[in-house]
Amino acid sequence: RNDSEHCSVVLEATPVDGRPIGVFDSGVSGLTVVRELWRRLASERVLYFGDTARVPYGGRPAFEIETFARQIMSYLRERGVKLIIVACNTTSALALDKVEREFDLPLVGVLRPGARAATKATHTGKIGVIATEGTVRSGAYERAIRALMPHADVVSQGCPLLVPIVEAGRADSPEAMNALREYLAPVMERGVDTLVLGCTHYPFLADGIRRIVGPGVAVVDPAGETVETVSALLNDLGLASSSRTGPDEFMVSGDPAGFARVAEKLLGSRIPPVARVALAELQRS
Ligand code: DGL
């Protein structure tokens, strides 16, 4: 066989799209998705944006979340990402349906994968969801779960204190356990067999949550199913990278040093230097 045939065979077998995957959240918690990317798609490069100047998102109205999502996604697109993971349930619930039509990039939220993972995990169809007040009010988890499992009984609980606790680096404090006990009591009373961590901050509280709900309840972190979805999409669209083309980058709209300190504590490992992107720059995007 001649050289050009040989070459085309090699290219098809080893697709390389070295552009990074954009991941964003209101703060540190998109890192629960990044750590799944590191585990399962280690050859992909990540461009992370944490909107720490405007966290928390959970109590904000939908129009504001849509504006923030548009700004951040435009910025990530300008930075040359090939796909964006909306690693925030509140944004996935309140803004994704609307803004995804405006972007010519593949977008993956965490809410639909979270709903899918819950329906796979439950035996009884009684599913608890803990999330921000915005996500709970939107009813998006109920809709997404019932679209897959019409008879599901979904119990949702808003937990407004948890995001500020995680952002302050106090995930392992007695204050966190007290808040969790209070929020989880009404959900457990309803006899759920599955609990969705419907806010990307909550997997950082998973040890305490498991201690409270006990071994009989499956605790679902949507990050795993999200990364499965991303992996399938990258392969289907021919966008996967077979080898890492550079380091990950972390950016925040607030204080980079504070972000790095909390991120390293939560992840238990070092992260590359964190850069600051001023809100004014973001608002120009
Ligand atoms: N971690 C995000 C979520 O999944 C946002 C939390 C917030 O900023 O209130 O909903």
Side-chain angles (χ1 to χ4, degrees), residues 25-26 29 55-58 87-90 132 135 163 198-201:
D25 172 57
S26 59
S29 69
V55 69
Y57 278 11
C88 171
N89 287 271
T90 309
T132 64
T135 301
V163 169
C199 169
T200 45
H201 281 77

Side-chain angles (χ1 to χ4, degrees), residues 25 54 109 174 217-218 272:
D25 172 57
R54 301 187 288 200
V217 174

